[in-house]
Amino acid sequence: MAASGVRSCGLSGLLPAQTSLEYALLDAVTQREKDDLVYQYLQKVDGWEQDLSVPEFPEGLEWLNTEEPISVYKDLRGKVVILDFFSYCCINCIHLLPDLHELEHTYSDKDGLLIVGVHSAKFPNEKVLDNITSAVLRYNITHPVVNDADASLWQDLEVSCWPTLVILGPRGNMLFSLIGEGHKEKLFLYTSIALKYYKDRGQIRDNKIGIKLYKDSLPPSPLLFPGKVTVDHATNRLVIADTGHHRILVIWKNGQIQYSIGGPNPGRKDGLFSESTFNSPQGVAMMDNVIYVADTENHLIRKIDLEAERVSTVAGIGVQGTDKEGGAKGEQQPICSPWDVAFGTSGSEVKRNNILWIAMAGIHQIWALLLDSSKLPKKNELKKGTCLRFAGSGNEENRNNAYPHKAGFAQPSGLSLASEDPWNCLFVADSESSTVRTVSLKDGAVKHLIGGERDPMNLFAFGDVDGVGIDAKLQHPLGVAWDKKRNLLYVADSYNHKIKVVDPKTKNCTTLAGTGNTNNVTSSSFTESTFNEPGGLCVGENGRLLYVADTNNHQIKVMDLETKTISVLPVFKSENAVVDGPLRLEKPKSVPKLPKSAPSIRLSPVTVCPGQTLQFKLGLDLPSGTKLTDGVPSCWFLTAEGKKAGHACSTQVDGAGPADRRVLNPWPPAALRGLIAEY
């Protein structure tokens, strides 16, 4: 037993002893030898005159997944505790979560183990408890999490990078530290032997910690943390990565679901739609009734064939890869956390969409999957199905270079292709460097567009500033969308909760929509609209509409780029849709019965052609001193006469969004107030 007394010290105090242990483990052959070495190490550390103790959690910190704040020296006494210092933006921290989930399934608090997430933010947006809550829900974190917004614990323990694990004994005494990802074997070895060592000494308590999961109070929702959205111009459909439900939705432009594939729980299974599963899918791209999916946490690229109604795997082996070169056939090529996909070609090819570009966030690179035999710049002919690196060294940097393999990205998370001259490039939302970059399709040269700063190693040059080039500042952007009609690029500036627009010719970046406030305020105007960590966006309707995956609001927002109005796309299920995920069936919509005194306005007949757009604007004026009663619905409806079969009636009324329906009702008072404010 250790003598009485403790000493507070950083992780450096463990370094000499743990380094000796790890060298000894390299020479161990059998599992018994490894177990014995760790047991002997614990005898040594436990026999120190004074413990290396962690400080108590400061009072006033915000906690998640617990009934009340936790004390190291009261609640955690008698437990082996793993402190996970993480930041929810960090892909390396995300990679560590499956190991922690598996460890929690192997040992419970009754066995004496507890994991505590210590959230130490990189970005200002990550210090906000509501945003951490969303991340805890998104990544299904079920252990207690404390918001160390001022990084006080981080500094006290001399933590230097994300992620860092610190393993504590039952007295709050530090035993081990593991820095970075990829230490699963050591994590399980150290934890299991620590539990055995202290159980042998009667120091493990089986008391339960009060856990209260936020996910248990979530209301049902058609969408849960949608990450990306794309439009299929040929068939008038949208594809949504319904990330939190682990599924892909194919919907008509009015929001009616045609297919729901996967969900509601994570999995990895190919086959018919009814049996296929995904794990936190992100990027989606659709062409010729085929959808390609970045199945992020499965480390796969999946193919959805809508005609055959089957899902297959075209790249990845289902486990996190570390290969930074590639070159194997897709199904044999390990890949790592693909976050977005885009169709395209190389600059030397006829424009025929024979390449699927992949933002490989997990290893900080841009990859290519050959959908047909083709060439990449400075490479020989490549066979169909080949999957390989196109740009990026794999080092996490903000480094631009004329040689694509010497450039460096930092968690690239969004792609959009501008195949026409003079652009002929991929636009990349490089999230951890808070920049937007370009990759030439002709020679692979990587160039800066906006954000960041000139030092390639500084990944902390972020902010919320409209400006030109390097003077513009973003905060962890996750999506980009090219508008070839206007030669403009739209950016999901995720942690600033805004949509920004960039002129790539002048490099001028300005705010298009979003106040920066995360409250989901109902407003039909760009200037008063709000988002919450929007993750993806795409341009539709020949450049008229911009669809935005408003991730933390669990919505798809529709921005009309001509009228400057914004609306929420309704997502609903029809009786004949193939839907496997949890979605409430909406009641059939019926025309409301209005009193005889209700005003009716009949417009003059208008002759229209198929595909022509009509705009109806409704303005409401209330008598002075009156107001709408909260919670009481108000309704209106629109009917069109003489509609011929096959011609859709597309309506947009004061920001209500496009809806292929003849009747729209009811409008809640909040929505009506938005209409009144608009006029």
Side-chain angles (χ1 to χ4, degrees), residues 587-593 637 663-666:
K587 295 180 179 179
K589 292 178 171 56
S590 59
V591 177
K593 291 183 178 180
F637 72 96
V663 180
L664 304 176
N665 72 296

Side-chain angles (χ1 to χ4, degrees), residues 187-205:
L187 173 63
F188 274 72
L189 174 63
Y190 294 167
T191 303
S192 63
I193 300 304
L195 287 169
K196 175 178 170 48
Y197 176 85
Y198 286 107
K199 191 169 288 185
D200 289 347
R201 281 153 181 74
Q203 296 182 37
I204 295 295
R205 294 164 52 188

Side-chain angles (χ1 to χ4, degrees), residues 223 254-255 520-524 530 548 550 553-559 565-571 655-659 661:
L223 299 175
N254 66 345
N520 197 16
V521 177
T522 302
S523 174
S524 62
T530 59
V548 180
D550 193 6
N553 280 328
H554 316 296
Q555 294 172 336
I556 301 297
K557 296 245 172 89
V558 186
M559 299 173 60
T565 56
I566 190 167
S567 59
V568 176
L569 181 72
V571 176
R661 296 178 287 175

Side-chain angles (χ1 to χ4, degrees), residues 394-611:
N395 297 326
E396 189 174 7
E397 299 173 333
N398 174 23
R399 188 178 299 278
N400 303 298
N401 202 294
Y403 295 95
H405 292 180
K406 293 185 177 181
F409 295 93
Q411 208 169 307
S413 301
L415 294 177
S416 190
L417 183 104
S419 58
E420 63 273 18
D421 289 328
W423 319 112
N424 205 4
C425 70
L426 275 170
F427 291 103
V428 181
D430 199 38
S431 62
E432 280 295 285
S433 68
S434 295
T435 64
V436 175
R437 325 270 286 282
T438 64
V439 183
S440 170
L441 298 178
K442 293 182 178 179
D443 58 15
V446 178
K447 298 180 181 179
H448 170 270
L449 185 63
I450 58 166
E453 68 137 278
R454 290 181 175 84
D455 179 359
M457 303 304 293
N458 183 4
L459 302 182
F460 286 79
F462 52 80
D464 183 8
V465 180
D466 290 351
V468 177
I470 210 162
D471 293 327
K473 291 292 179 278
L474 309 171
Q475 190 182 175
H476 199 76
L478 289 174
V480 282
W482 176 242
D483 182 350
K484 64 180 180 181
K485 176 181 177 180
R486 301 175 181 83
N487 285 334
L488 294 174
L489 183 73
Y490 304 107
V491 181
D493 192 4
S494 305
Y495 283 7
N496 283 324
H497 317 290
K498 293 180 178 180
I499 305 301
K500 295 187 176 176
V501 59
V502 181
D503 181 343
K505 186 175 182 180
T506 63
K507 294 190 174 184
N508 187 44
C509 173
T510 57
T511 298
L512 179 67
T515 62
N517 191 321
T518 58
N519 295 330
N520 197 16
V521 177
T522 302
S523 174
S524 62
S525 72
F526 280 15
T527 54
E528 297 177 359
S529 60
T530 59
F531 301 90
N532 193 336
E533 294 191 13
L537 65 179
C538 68
V539 176
E541 306 295 319
N542 295 318
R544 179 185 170 187
L545 300 180
L546 183 67
Y547 295 94
V548 180
D550 193 6
T551 303
N552 285 359
N553 280 328
H554 316 296
Q555 294 172 336
I556 301 297
K557 296 245 172 89
V558 186
M559 299 173 60
D560 190 315
L561 298 170
E562 295 179 1
T563 64
K564 306 299 182 189
T565 56
I566 190 167
S567 59
V568 176
L569 181 72
V571 176
F572 61 97
K573 167 185 170 183
S574 66
E575 291 182 2
N576 60 350
V578 181
V579 177
D580 304 314
L583 191 71
R584 293 176 296 176
L585 183 63
E586 289 197 355
K587 295 180 179 179
K589 292 178 171 56
S590 59
V591 177
K593 291 183 178 180
L594 299 179
K596 293 180 180 180
S597 60
S600 175
I601 300 175
R602 179 177 291 273
L603 301 179
S604 301
V606 178
T607 303
V608 296
C609 301

Side-chain angles (χ1 to χ4, degrees), residues 237 259 273 288-291 304-310:
R237 290 178 292 185
Y259 295 104
F273 284 2
D288 298 332
N289 266 332
V290 171
I291 303 167
I304 299 174
D305 188 325
L306 295 179
E307 290 184 357
E309 296 192 353
R310 294 191 69 88

Side-chain angles (χ1 to χ4, degrees), residues 231-238 251-254 541 547 648 660:
V231 61
D232 178 42
H233 303 284
T235 60
N236 207 38
R237 290 178 292 185
L238 292 172
I251 68 173
W252 300 107
K253 294 291 183 65
N254 66 345
E541 306 295 319
Y547 295 94
D660 294 335

